[in-house]
Amino acid sequence: MKLAVVGTGYVGLVTGTCFAETGNQVTCVDIDVRKVEKLNNGIVPIYEPGLETLFHRNVEEGRLSFTTNLEEGIKGAEVIFLALPTPPGEDGSADLKYILKVASDLGPILSQYAVIVDKSTVPVGTAEKVHAHIADNAKVDFDVVSNPEFLREGVAVEDFMKPDRVVIGTKSDRAKAVMNRLYAPLVRQGNPVIFMDERSAEMTKYAANAFLATKITFMNEIANLCERAGANVDDIRRGIGTDSRIGKRFLFAGIGYGGSCFPKDVQALAKTAKDFNYDFKVLKSVMEVNYLQKTKLLPQILEHFGGNLTGKTIAIWGLAFKPYTDDIREAPALDNIRALLDAGAKVTVYDPEAMDNVREQIGNAVTYAHTQYAALDDADALVVITEWPLFRTPDFDKMNLLLKNKLIFDGRNVYELDQMREQNYTYYSVGREPVLAPVEQKA
């Protein structure tokens, strides 16, 4: 099939590349001239495991191309995906200006029937607005379909190629037949393609992300209670995660969720509820708890150093909002860096992928280390913020030589308490008792 993908951000580039991998002819369109030049020169602008290999293969085999010309990009396309940004407005609502602008541009240049697919995460009623904007100037038949993505950053290629389910919102039998044919290679193992109306599909994406964010937030609340009650959140996680009604995923306590989806989508669903005069109390609590959770280690850090961080150097491991990505949108690391700097500390950071993105955002306010161990050199404490696998099994002998104090504040519970006792560290984590080293810390 001939496909067009408008927008080459995270969702658009993964969508276009993966559909090319299944044999389709895909043209990706973006107004950013520099980005398109990079893509045409073989430079993948995002870090996502497995994506670069598929990208180069499909470019070389002529199935994947890039242009800034919308009319050229959609020529002959049976399906046109809109994978455009929907940034949150001040009131939490999703800003649809990019999608609706492209919809208006599409009307007069459509030359044959096409299925226009909202791939972006959009509020209820967006498909109707897109249809209206296209219809203003369209001279051919078309359908607008809602097809939300459920990609997890870090495993997005696998999620796309082996989806748990495909959700498609349309009332059109013609569009349904086209989408069934498009997704057939990806659901041969029997994973369901679920058809519903457009509004239900739009709501499904928000409901899924809001539920997962609620699950994370609930466990963070349990973790905070554990710290007061003397319980261990890891034991509780295992105890409830084996209940098939609950499941074991998204039960890890930590310093809050971030990224491009959960914060934005929870806000947008709350705004939708407000628009329909419904007081969604649970979502309000989720947002409030997550905001506070991001910097929950700061009081412990301040207390340990007697309320004064002036002249102290704090090392941070992890800047991305989660492992296997360079995405720092709504990342807890940024909140912690700002709070530590405001408290007078010097901050040295290391992340395998996200340091360039942080440098673009905050400049040289922090020191960027070239390795995880270089970040520890003469630091007074280590703060773990992102659970990259390489942080889980460090060389403690090397760490002991570099850190001033054997002191760790762990926002992701990457180490076991017994392990910290054996290593003679003072160790603070989330939802578990602190480990206080019995020996005097070095000055």
Side-chain angles (χ1 to χ4, degrees):
M1 296 176 69
K2 176 73 168 66
L3 312 178
V5 179
V6 184
T8 60
Y10 186 88
V11 172
L13 191 55
V14 172
T15 298
T17 302
C18 289
F19 272 132
E21 179 68 11
T22 59
N24 298 291
Q25 191 76 27
V26 181
T27 302
C28 294
V29 184
D30 202 295
I31 61 171
D32 188 330
V33 176
R34 290 183 60 190
K35 182 187 283 189
V36 171
E37 286 178 351
K38 287 181 178 180
L39 290 164
N40 280 324
N41 287 319
I43 300 172
V44 180
I46 60 172
Y47 175 73
E48 179 63 38
L51 180 62
E52 192 162 353
T53 299
L54 299 188
F55 174 91
H56 288 301
R57 176 160 64 229
N58 285 281
V59 168
E60 290 168 6
E61 295 183 3
R63 290 191 297 267
L64 182 62
S65 60
F66 303 90
T67 182
T68 57
N69 187 310
L70 181 62
E71 187 169 7
E72 173 189 311
I74 69 162
K75 187 176 180 180
E78 296 179 67
V79 183
I80 302 169
F81 286 92
L82 305 185
L84 295 152
T86 54
E90 290 185 7
D91 61 356
S93 61
D95 189 341
L96 298 178
K97 64 182 178 184
Y98 301 109
I99 290 176
L100 297 181
K101 171 64 167 62
V102 170
S104 295
D105 293 342
L106 281 174
I109 62 175
L110 286 176
S111 59
Q112 63 182 44
Y113 172 80
V115 177
I116 317 299
V117 181
D118 285 335
K119 198 66 176 170
S120 307
T121 301
V122 293
V124 171
T126 298
E128 296 159 21
K129 294 178 181 178
V130 170
H131 193 282
H133 276 69
I134 297 173
D136 281 344
N137 294 293
K139 301 178 180 64
V140 297
D141 290 337
F142 66 93
D143 282 307
V144 176
V145 166
S146 175
N147 174 215
E149 52 84 17
F150 298 96
L151 305 179
R152 296 168 295 162
E153 292 190 43
V155 288
V157 171
E158 181 180 353
D159 282 350
F160 196 99
M161 302 301 286
K162 300 176 182 178
D164 289 336
R165 80 291 200 197
V166 176
V167 172
I168 297 173
T170 181
K171 302 184 188 77
S172 164
D173 289 336
R174 189 176 183 182
K176 182 177 179 179
V178 171
M179 297 301 287
N180 252 332
R181 182 157 52 96
L182 177 61
Y183 274 104
L186 302 178
V187 294
R188 296 182 66 185
Q189 301 300 318
N191 296 341
V193 178
I194 305 171
F195 285 96
M196 58 185 72
D197 65 86
E198 296 89 339
R199 287 191 164 221
S200 295
E202 291 163 343
M203 182 71 84
T204 294
K205 174 60 187 286
Y206 282 121
N209 279 354
F211 182 80
L212 295 174
T214 301
K215 199 172 180 182
I216 292 168
T217 303
F218 176 81
M219 283 308 294
N220 285 335
E221 287 274 71
I222 291 293
N224 295 340
L225 180 57
C226 284
E227 292 174 10
R228 298 191 180 195
N232 186 314
V233 73
D234 285 343
D235 292 336
I236 295 166
R237 170 177 55 81
R238 287 187 289 267
I240 68 174
T242 49
D243 187 324
S244 60
R245 298 169 299 174
I246 296 173
K248 62 185 179 181
R249 297 175 65 182
F250 290 89
L251 293 180
F252 288 88
I255 50 174
Y257 59 77
S260 61
C261 293
F262 286 2
K264 175 174 67 71
D265 292 354
V266 171
Q267 290 177 31
L269 185 55
K271 176 61 169 57
T272 297
K274 183 178 179 181
D275 290 344
F276 286 92
N277 296 314
Y278 181 72
D279 185 11
F280 210 143
K281 297 181 177 66
V282 171
L283 288 191
K284 290 180 180 178
S285 296
V286 167
M287 290 186 287
E288 179 182 354
V289 170
N290 193 64
Y291 173 77
L292 297 172
Q293 194 75 12
K294 287 186 175 184
T295 54
K296 82 171 286 358
L297 293 177
L298 264 298
Q300 294 174 321
I301 296 172
L302 284 166
E303 183 179 357
H304 183 89
F305 289 106
N308 185 8
L309 295 183
T310 302
K312 300 296 182 184
T313 298
I314 306 298
I316 287 179
W317 279 0
L319 300 172
F321 85 95
K322 64 181 286 189
Y324 302 109
T325 182
D326 59 357
D327 196 341
I328 60 168
R329 286 173 287 185
E330 300 286 342
L334 299 177
D335 299 271
N336 283 274
I337 286 171
R338 294 187 189 101
L340 288 167
L341 292 174
D342 289 344
K346 299 176 182 178
V347 179
T348 302
V349 303
Y350 175 75
D351 186 282
E353 296 294 339
M355 289 198 291
D356 287 345
N357 290 340
V358 170
R359 188 182 282 109
E360 286 183 10
Q361 186 157 327
I362 68 172
N364 293 319
V366 300
T367 300
Y368 300 90
H370 63 283
T371 69
Q372 67 188 97
Y373 297 108
L376 305 181
D377 192 15
D378 211 30
D380 294 278
L382 166 64
V383 179
V384 180
I385 291 185
T386 312
E387 63 276 31
W388 283 94
L390 77 165
F391 300 152
R392 293 185 178 277
T393 55
D395 185 337
F396 283 104
D397 291 336
K398 187 180 289 188
M399 291 175 64
N400 298 343
L401 294 174
L402 294 167
L403 281 168
K404 281 185 182 179
N405 306 304
K406 297 174 72 172
L407 174 62
I408 297 175
F409 298 88
D410 185 355
R412 299 298 178 189
N413 293 0
V414 298
Y415 305 121
E416 297 295 332
L417 300 182
D418 287 343
Q419 180 185 25
M420 291 293 94
R421 294 186 185 101
E422 290 171 5
Q423 294 291 338
N424 205 30
Y425 268 75
T426 294
Y427 176 72
Y428 298 89
S429 55
V430 180
R432 306 184 296 182
E433 65 178 349
V435 174
L436 303 177
V439 297
E440 183 179 348
Q441 302 287 298
K442 290 185 287 185

